[in-house]
Amino acid sequence: MTRSTLSVVVADTNLLPHRTLLEQAAPAGTRFTWLDRFDESAVTSALPGADVLVGAKFTTGLTDASDSLKLVHVAGAGYDGIDAEALPPGVRVANTYHHEGSIAEHIVATTIVLRRQILQQDRALRAGRWATPVYEQDRGQLSSLEGATVGFVGFGHIGQRTWQAYRAFGARARVVSRSGRVPDEVGRDLLSVAQLDGLDALLEESDIVVLCLPLDDSTRELIDADRLRRMREDALLVNVSRGPVVAPSALYDALQENRIGGAVLDTWYDYPTGGSQARPAEQPFEGLDNVIMTPHSSGVTAQTFQGRALDIAANIALLADGAELERVVITR
């Protein structure tokens, strides 16, 4: 079999640190054009004659320039930035993962920080105050993860990997998902597994609620004011899915009024459109001391994007060989 020589346009900033890895892992002779970010005009100029576009977006503005395009490869799991109707006939879209380990680490670390009040203790001790029940007897003793119940809303790659990490600390878990099914080897250790109609019960019974399900019409504001009221007063909410899975005003009110224990928020409602400055929500979450805010960075580690670069290189090789691609999510 004769291997085709392909032309690849890379328009994903996160892959720039791994340029050498991707180029060395791709078939010899592959021609790469690297862009420092996804700029539609720059992508349009680079696309004619290209076989592969690596990037998180595809818009109608790119259609006419895609005269040779065969594959759009997203350097991540989500492909909601791809306008499937804008793809030329025959183009496929593939994705990749490798973020679940980094996100699991982030979730467990931040929930420990909140449950153990580490940031508050740090600030107090810097001011000379020993904020612990050893010295302030009116303070209650804090809880470790041992025996805590973690409720997973969605249980794909991220949920399963996060459960592995929590389980190592002696936590227990409940799951709700659309399918209501989990792998047999995982299900043995879970307290319960249900479809989304079991969500209310999960919220009432969990010390930590981890949201890791996709955003669509059925999950938008799935966690609303009524469901936040069902959570325990000291429970934590973790959102690593998409911001709008949770109703923003209802969440802010619940946190401000201490009706839930706190939140880890890594996904948001508003994102920068240029540069790195933008408020993540209309509500002033930054003024709350029971929230850990991160800029959608839980999966952004070197290990994540090294794995993704190798997956992309492997699919480029399969395309060059005329073989079946892996992880195809859209076919035109």
Side-chain angles (χ1 to χ4, degrees):
M1 177 185 296
T2 301
R3 170 174 276 181
S4 301
T5 300
L6 301 182
S7 174
V8 179
V9 175
V10 183
D12 191 309
T13 303
N14 294 304
L15 289 171
L16 290 173
H18 311 291
R19 177 172 180 166
T20 299
L21 176 65
L22 178 54
E23 291 186 350
Q24 290 180 345
T30 303
R31 299 184 301 273
F32 282 90
T33 299
W34 289 82
L35 305 176
D36 60 3
R37 59 191 174 89
F38 192 99
D39 175 82
E40 187 164 302
S41 62
V43 175
T44 300
S45 297
L47 266 182
D51 302 284
V52 180
L53 170 63
V54 179
K57 299 179 184 178
F58 193 93
T59 65
T60 55
L62 303 179
T63 306
D64 290 343
S66 304
D67 55 357
S68 299
L69 195 64
K70 303 176 182 67
L71 170 65
V72 176
H73 210 305
V74 179
Y79 49 94
D80 48 314
I82 306 297
D83 182 348
E85 297 301 317
L87 295 167
V91 174
R92 287 162 287 178
V93 178
N95 67 350
T96 176
Y97 294 89
H98 295 282
H99 56 303
E100 52 269 24
S102 296
I103 294 177
E105 181 179 278
H106 178 96
I107 292 170
V108 174
T110 50
T111 51
I112 290 173
V113 166
L114 281 177
R115 282 172 64 85
R116 301 288 296 273
Q117 297 182 4
I118 290 172
L119 295 179
Q120 293 93 324
Q121 291 181 11
D122 173 86
R123 288 192 293 268
L125 194 54
R126 289 172 190 271
R129 179 182 172 194
W130 293 60
T132 163
V134 175
Y135 295 96
E136 297 181 350
Q137 294 181 5
D138 58 334
R139 286 182 170 273
Q141 294 179 343
L142 302 173
S143 295
S144 72
L145 289 177
E146 185 173 359
T149 299
V150 183
F152 290 94
V153 186
F155 203 61
H157 291 81
I158 295 170
Q160 291 178 42
R161 185 64 176 269
T162 305
W163 166 227
Q164 291 177 7
Y166 273 126
R167 183 170 53 186
F169 286 96
R172 305 171 298 175
R174 298 183 183 277
V175 169
V176 298
S177 68
R178 289 190 235 218
S179 69
R181 296 190 300 271
V182 300
D184 291 341
E185 63 273 16
V186 177
R188 292 190 296 268
D189 298 325
L190 298 172
L191 294 174
S192 64
V193 179
Q195 292 182 298
L196 286 177
D197 57 5
L199 176 58
D200 291 348
L202 178 143
L203 295 173
E204 293 165 359
E205 296 163 356
S206 298
D207 301 297
I208 301 168
V209 176
V210 179
L211 306 177
C212 45
L213 75 172
L215 174 67
D216 59 25
D217 290 342
S218 69
T219 62
R220 186 174 297 275
E221 298 198 356
L222 180 70
I223 307 300
D224 56 12
D226 178 64
R227 286 193 160 127
L228 287 164
R229 280 191 288 270
R230 293 180 180 275
M231 291 180 62
R232 296 176 176 179
E233 189 175 72
D234 59 352
L236 304 181
L237 182 71
V238 180
N239 191 2
V240 293
S241 54
R242 289 292 185 267
V245 170
V246 186
S249 294
L251 176 60
Y252 179 80
D253 291 345
L255 290 164
Q256 185 186 43
E257 297 165 10
N258 293 309
R259 286 189 275 108
I260 63 173
V264 173
L265 304 178
D266 186 53
T267 55
W268 293 96
Y269 305 93
D270 298 300
Y271 284 76
T273 56
S276 60
Q277 293 292 315
R279 295 193 68 242
E282 293 181 5
Q283 297 74 18
F285 286 98
E286 65 276 5
L288 303 176
D289 64 3
N290 55 352
V291 179
I292 290 180
M293 302 171 58
T294 50
H296 207 153
S297 59
S298 62
V300 183
T301 64
Q303 289 73 17
T304 293
F305 284 95
Q306 286 164 1
R308 290 177 174 181
L310 293 174
D311 274 358
I312 292 166
N315 255 350
I316 291 171
L318 292 171
L319 183 65
D321 289 339
E324 184 176 351
L325 301 180
E326 297 181 346
R327 299 172 308 281
V328 173
V329 292
I330 299 174
T331 301
R332 280 288 281 164

